[in-house]
Amino acid sequence: MASPRKLNCPLPDALWAALEARTRNTGETLDQAVVRCLGEALDLSRHSIFQISTSAALVKGVYQGAATVAEVKRHGDFGLGTFENLDGEGMQLDGNCFQAKGDGSVTQPSDATPVPFWVTTRFKADRTETLSEVRSWADLCDRLTKLRTSDNLVAAIRLDGVLDFVHVRTACKSAPGTDLVTAASRQKEFKFEKVQGTLLGFFTPTYARTINVPGYHLHLLTEDRKHGGHVLEVRAARLQALLHLTSDLHLVLPENEEFLKANLTQDPAAALAKAEGGAATNS
Amino acid sequence: MASPRKLNCPLPDALWAALEARTRNTGETLDQAVVRCLGEALDLSRHSIFQISTSAALVKGVYQGAATVAEVKRHGDFGLGTFENLDGEGMQLDGNCFQAKGDGSVTQPSDATPVPFWVTTRFKADRTETLSEVRSWADLCDRLTKLRTSDNLVAAIRLDGVLDFVHVRTACKSAPGTDLVTAASRQKEFKFEKVQGTLLGFFTPTYARTINVPGYHLHLLTEDRKHGGHVLEVRAARLQALLHLTSDLHLVLPENEEFLKANLTQDPAAALAKAEGGAATNS
């Protein structure tokens, strides 16, 4: 057997000091500590969700960038989010980020683009199933619930196939401080038939509703990368469902004045249901 | 200037693959990726809170170990928690963990000891202030609130000094599944006068009340390491207050059957207030 490859990398003094402090605290050798730290940071040890800001902040209209697309990409290759001033819906698939705007266009934002809210993970399917004859959004949610093992873990969800019908909305750029319900009332809606694409997103437990959007939250990205948005309604003859179950959430809170001063004490459940559910019954 | 020290460490193949995938996704060089990953894992880049399980789970009686004292120590040197079957109160100070039991004793749990809930951080004070004539728990909370900059960030808090009076409770070992309010009703209470010690713990934003205990949550550890517990009431002529403000929460959810099957949909605020507040007015 070949001997393992060796890392040969210069480290700043502060990092050496922190590594050495770690080995003193834990009794690990330096090599063990390096392997464990790299494994943690690269999410090898657990299936992790990395999240920027909270749903409670979004509901209160805290839309200023807390991180950038580059930071999102460092922590995952799959996920969803939104952009500064709620300028559209964000989709992240196979490592690339996309922005679906209120005018119906989809672009790839640069790495420097600020994002006020994003949820990302390194997607590896724990379960793969085929869903036949998906009749509605409610039906899809019921079918996905049967594939999950617990309502207390976050699940990342990817659905690929031909969508017989899909109804999406995209948020439109709003003035800073506009609350989410008001902003969502000006959203644009789009309907597509017979389109190849991916629905991507998350199931979030009810208890985490002040942190992330509770229940199922999926965005569309069409295979030609021309259309996308927040999914309100869907029908499909056959979808391939990939589920990635996680037990590890890394939450980064914004440090801007807007977030620090916001009143986030209210339960955002009702506002989230209104803003995120949108015209779901109107399909 | 001396050239920087080099890390020379063998890595498993899976870690090489993950590192290389990371550099492809982000455009970083291998050395840059290693430095950034180690910095993240060692919490150099941000002030992070690492948390095991949630307050919602504790309230529902999910007390089985989700991690160990060793894992707690890897992620922080300061914090609080509890033990399997709610067997006492946990304190972590300067890297060491302590267990205050219902019989009034304090011991140092082994690294293999399971913990169902713990909050830890690498404590570095952002603010240091002297608090004079602390008249009560309520007064202490008001004074600490003036030292914080936002109600939307978690703050780690350390208070050192002579406590003229301190009233604590310690949870007593309970049967699995006993809810927190019932378990807390059997807690033991202890009062001390003129004792040198440390109050240690956290301020948690209201919006995170399903995740952690909201508001101020402090445990006592006396300087002789003989007494400890969850603080209900306090008076002190002079305390040194150290505040460590954080914007980064790493939450690890248990993967045991007990957690996965628990009904965590209710708001635990009322139960937490009752169980954690205890006999605070009875001092």
Side-chain angles (χ1 to χ4, degrees):
Chain A
M1 203 177 97
S3 50
R5 282 175 66 188
K6 277 198 169 185
L7 197 61
N8 195 287
C9 163
L11 291 191
D13 290 346
L15 208 42
W16 273 109
L19 257 178
E20 286 168 353
R22 159 91 166 225
T23 60
R24 281 195 301 276
N25 281 344
T26 63
E28 294 165 301
T29 66
L30 192 75
D31 287 357
Q32 286 168 341
V34 168
V35 166
R36 193 189 289 272
C37 286
L38 289 177
E40 280 170 14
L42 294 163
D43 296 336
L44 281 190
S45 45
R46 287 175 179 263
H47 281 191
S48 289
I49 298 280
F50 182 87
Q51 179 175 323
I52 293 154
S53 194
T54 70
S55 51
L58 267 196
V59 162
K60 296 296 281 189
V62 179
Y63 308 137
Q64 297 310 298
T68 62
V69 165
E71 189 167 357
V72 166
K73 287 181 179 175
R74 275 203 300 278
H75 289 95
D77 54 26
F78 173 97
L80 54 73
T82 189
F83 297 90
E84 199 153 78
N85 297 322
L86 215 65
D87 189 13
E89 310 287 333
M91 293 83 65
Q92 188 185 16
L93 194 61
D94 299 328
N96 297 309
C97 284
F98 299 89
Q99 180 172 11
K101 294 194 181 182
D103 64 4
S105 68
V106 172
T107 57
Q108 284 203 355
S110 77
D111 282 355
T113 305
V115 295
F117 178 82
W118 205 280
V119 188
T120 187
T121 190
R122 297 197 193 287
F123 195 93
K124 288 194 197 76
D126 297 297
R127 287 199 75 166
T128 304
E129 297 281 340
T130 300
L131 303 181
S132 300
E133 303 303 335
V134 173
R135 295 185 303 272
S136 66
W137 171 254
D139 182 39
L140 177 61
C141 294
D142 287 347
R143 309 272 284 274
L144 291 171
T145 294
K146 293 197 182 85
L147 301 182
R148 289 185 298 104
T149 51
S150 169
D151 284 342
N152 298 332
L153 299 182
V154 178
I157 299 165
R158 174 177 181 158
L159 299 156
D160 294 289
V162 175
L163 304 157
D164 295 325
F165 173 78
V166 59
H167 177 188
V168 301
R169 73 98 198 273
T170 61
C172 293
K173 202 168 176 173
S174 297
T178 311
D179 70 83
L180 189 65
V181 170
T182 305
S185 70
R186 290 195 300 266
Q187 70 196 14
K188 287 292 182 350
E189 298 188 20
F190 303 95
K191 296 178 184 184
F192 306 101
E193 291 187 8
K194 295 285 177 202
V195 63
Q196 177 88 33
T198 300
L199 309 184
L200 57 96
F202 298 91
F203 169 85
T204 298
T206 303
Y207 72 78
R209 67 185 172 276
T210 55
I211 306 297
N212 196 346
V213 178
Y216 293 97
H217 181 196
L218 298 176
H219 285 188
L220 164 75
L221 183 65
T222 58
E223 198 185 33
D224 61 12
R225 307 303 191 234
K226 290 189 176 163
H227 305 294
H230 173 101
V231 178
L232 298 174
E233 190 50 273
V234 61
R235 284 195 306 275
R238 190 170 179 279
L239 290 174
Q240 188 190 45
L242 305 174
L243 269 78
H244 162 99
L245 304 168
T246 72
S247 59
D248 200 290
L249 174 70
H250 190 164
L251 178 65
V252 173
L253 300 171
E255 296 189 62
N256 54 42
E257 191 79 353
E258 206 191 2
F259 181 86
L260 298 180
K261 298 296 183 203
N263 177 353
L264 305 182
T265 57
Q266 294 157 295
D267 188 332
L272 271 180
K274 193 166 177 187
E276 298 294 325
T281 54
N282 183 30
S283 60
Chain B
M1 202 177 97
S3 49
R5 282 175 65 189
K6 277 200 171 186
L7 195 62
N8 194 286
C9 164
L11 291 191
D13 290 345
L15 209 43
W16 273 110
L19 258 178
E20 287 169 350
R22 160 92 167 224
T23 59
R24 279 196 302 275
N25 281 344
T26 61
E28 294 164 302
T29 67
L30 193 75
D31 286 357
Q32 285 168 340
V34 168
V35 167
R36 193 188 288 270
C37 286
L38 289 177
E40 280 170 15
L42 293 163
D43 296 336
L44 283 190
S45 43
R46 285 175 180 262
H47 281 191
S48 289
I49 297 279
F50 181 86
Q51 179 175 324
I52 293 154
S53 195
T54 69
S55 51
L58 266 196
V59 162
K60 297 295 281 189
V62 179
Y63 306 137
Q64 298 310 297
T68 62
V69 165
E71 190 168 354
V72 166
K73 287 181 179 174
R74 274 204 299 277
H75 290 95
D77 55 24
F78 172 98
L80 54 73
T82 190
F83 297 91
E84 199 154 77
N85 298 322
L86 215 65
D87 189 13
E89 309 289 333
M91 291 83 65
Q92 187 185 15
L93 194 61
D94 299 328
N96 298 309
C97 284
F98 300 89
Q99 179 173 12
K101 294 192 182 183
D103 65 3
S105 69
V106 171
T107 57
Q108 281 197 286
S110 77
D111 282 354
T113 305
V115 295
F117 177 82
W118 205 280
V119 189
T120 187
T121 191
R122 296 195 194 288
F123 196 93
K124 286 193 199 78
D126 298 297
R127 287 199 74 163
T128 303
E129 296 282 339
T130 300
L131 303 181
S132 299
E133 303 302 336
V134 173
R135 295 186 304 273
S136 65
W137 171 254
D139 181 40
L140 177 61
C141 294
D142 287 347
R143 309 272 284 273
L144 291 171
T145 293
K146 294 196 182 88
L147 301 182
R148 290 184 299 103
T149 51
S150 169
D151 285 340
N152 298 332
L153 300 182
V154 179
I157 298 165
R158 174 177 181 157
L159 299 157
D160 294 288
V162 174
L163 304 157
D164 295 325
F165 172 78
V166 59
H167 177 188
V168 301
R169 73 96 196 275
T170 61
C172 293
K173 201 168 175 172
S174 298
T178 311
D179 70 84
L180 188 67
V181 171
T182 305
S185 71
R186 290 195 299 268
Q187 70 196 14
K188 288 291 183 351
E189 298 187 20
F190 303 95
K191 297 178 184 184
F192 305 101
E193 292 187 7
K194 295 284 177 205
V195 63
Q196 177 88 33
T198 301
L199 309 183
L200 57 96
F202 299 91
F203 170 85
T204 298
T206 304
Y207 71 79
R209 66 185 173 277
T210 56
I211 306 297
N212 196 347
V213 178
Y216 293 97
H217 181 196
L218 298 176
H219 286 188
L220 164 74
L221 183 66
T222 59
E223 198 186 31
D224 62 11
R225 307 302 191 237
K226 288 187 177 164
H227 304 295
H230 173 101
V231 178
L232 299 174
E233 191 50 273
V234 62
R235 285 196 303 276
R238 191 171 179 279
L239 290 174
Q240 189 190 44
L242 305 174
L243 269 78
H244 161 98
L245 304 168
T246 72
S247 59
D248 198 292
L249 173 70
H250 190 164
L251 177 65
V252 173
L253 300 170
E255 297 190 60
N256 56 42
E257 190 79 353
E258 205 191 2
F259 180 86
L260 298 179
K261 299 296 184 202
N263 177 352
L264 305 180
T265 57
Q266 294 157 294
D267 188 332
L272 271 179
K274 193 167 179 187
E276 299 294 324
T281 55
N282 183 30
S283 60

